[in-house]
Amino acid sequence: MTELKIGVVGIPGKWSTEAIADALEARTGFRLVIDMAEVTLDLGSGALIYRGQDLCQLDGLVVKKISEIYNYHALDRLEMLRVAEARGVKIFSRPEAMLRLMDRLACTVTLANAQIPMPPTTITEDESAALAAVTAYCSAVFKPLFSTKARGMCVISAEDEDPAAQIAAFKAENPVMYVQAKRELSGQDLGMAFLGGTYLCTYARVKQDATSWNTTILSGGKYEAFEPDAELIELGRRAQAPFGLTFTTVDVALTDAGPIVFEVSAFGGYRGVRDGCGIDAAARVADHVIAGVAT
């Protein structure tokens, strides 16, 4: 046991949040799960209060989940955590690193600048430009800038009866349209896990429902083990490197034209590492965090 006080920002009651809280409590004797919806920032005093506890007085914070649903309000929660960081609290991952990932476009631009292979992608507010992209791609996935597990995504094809009307409906909810060429994934994609920038393991998300266009667990996908070669591991390492995250997973697909990266996760998937690789990610992260706080 140590005397370190390390809190967990997450969703109380959710498995992954409780798993890292359990792992930290087993090692330190301290447990605090923090729902950011109940956190108050007083800039005058520099206090960040959750249920009477000033988070700025903790030794560290692990951010497992900042919000149940991704939206631009979640960015404000990360900004609040920057106050604790400025007052000396070590945060895993750093708020600035996560800020660059929650917005899908920020993540994509960073990956493109690092010359990471991705599906052809068009970003536009112009419906005619979006329609031209669909025509060029034949079939495209329209993605909200803030979403997880394929929520809010839809596939629009040039052969659909009225793709322009579908685009207009999507834009009504998403003024900035993220349009990505749909690629054949052969029924699976990969999650490549990294801890402190070091490769941990790879799991596959395998589609179980033939009618679903994606492989997410939310759509019925299943985790399985996967052994990548050295070249694929290096691709994953290069993709996550610009973000400097504590724990993350890189979403990769194997296509006829070679591997492509979809995104890098701000928080990573403990369950995929456990079910697909047989590794206790929460325990690994807890050990890494304690070592980081202690130095």
Side-chain angles (χ1 to χ4, degrees):
M1 289 279 186
T2 73
E3 296 181 357
L4 295 175
K5 293 184 176 181
I6 303 172
V8 176
V9 175
I11 311 299
K14 288 292 187 179
W15 176 80
S16 59
T17 296
E18 299 297 338
I20 183 61
D22 287 345
L24 287 167
E25 182 181 21
R27 290 157 173 78
T28 67
F30 179 83
R31 181 189 187 89
L32 180 64
V33 173
I34 301 152
D35 182 349
M36 286 298 295
E38 297 182 37
V39 174
T40 298
L41 171 61
D42 181 347
L43 283 174
S45 65
L48 191 64
I49 304 298
Y50 175 72
R51 297 187 179 182
Q53 169 74 60
D54 184 355
L55 302 183
C56 296
Q57 301 302 314
L58 299 179
D59 298 297
L61 287 167
V62 176
V63 185
K64 184 60 196 80
K65 203 75 170 176
I66 200 69
S67 174
E68 182 73 50
I69 303 296
Y70 280 17
N71 54 45
Y72 56 86
H73 297 300
L75 301 181
D76 298 329
R77 293 180 172 185
L78 288 171
E79 291 290 351
M80 291 169 70
L81 291 179
R82 290 179 60 209
V83 173
E85 184 179 39
R87 292 187 61 187
V89 181
K90 293 187 178 181
I91 303 182
F92 307 84
S93 300
R94 295 187 62 232
E96 265 186 43
M98 292 181 287
L99 279 165
R100 297 171 60 208
L101 279 166
M102 292 199 66
D103 182 332
R104 177 169 278 109
L105 181 53
C107 177
T108 298
V109 168
T110 301
L111 291 172
N113 287 344
Q115 299 184 324
I116 302 299
M118 292 181 292
T121 303
T122 296
I123 313 298
T124 185
E125 297 181 46
D126 184 340
E127 292 179 34
S128 62
L131 181 59
V134 169
T135 301
Y137 300 157
C138 296
S139 185
V141 182
F142 281 63
K143 302 181 177 183
L145 295 185
F146 294 90
S147 73
T148 60
K149 303 184 187 303
R151 292 184 182 94
M153 297 183 188
C154 65
V155 176
I156 301 177
S157 299
E159 296 180 355
D160 290 346
E161 183 175 342
D162 193 351
Q166 294 182 64
I167 291 170
F170 182 84
K171 190 189 175 185
E173 299 293 330
N174 304 275
V176 178
M177 293 176 285
Y178 182 108
V179 186
Q180 194 163 70
K182 186 175 181 294
R183 288 292 182 253
E184 177 54 52
L185 305 184
S186 301
Q188 73 171 16
D189 68 348
L190 309 176
M192 306 189 74
F194 291 81
L195 177 59
T198 299
Y199 173 71
L200 189 60
C201 70
T202 298
Y203 56 85
R205 285 175 294 251
V206 183
K207 183 168 65 175
Q208 305 294 304
D209 181 358
T211 65
S212 176
W213 64 268
N214 67 73
T215 64
T216 64
I217 304 305
L218 189 66
S219 298
K222 179 183 176 183
Y223 294 121
E224 293 184 3
F226 186 90
E227 289 296 331
D229 58 24
E231 186 175 354
L232 194 59
I233 292 173
E234 176 59 16
L235 173 62
R237 187 199 64 76
R238 288 199 300 113
Q240 59 83 43
F243 301 100
L245 298 161
T246 298
F247 177 75
T248 187
T249 48
V250 181
D251 288 349
V252 180
L254 305 178
T255 73
D256 291 341
I260 52 175
V261 173
F262 287 117
E263 63 184 17
V264 177
S265 170
F267 308 105
Y270 289 3
R271 193 179 295 274
V273 171
R274 184 196 68 177
D275 295 351
C277 307
I279 294 174
D280 186 344
R284 298 287 186 95
V285 171
D287 289 336
H288 179 88
V289 167
I290 289 170
V293 170
T295 56

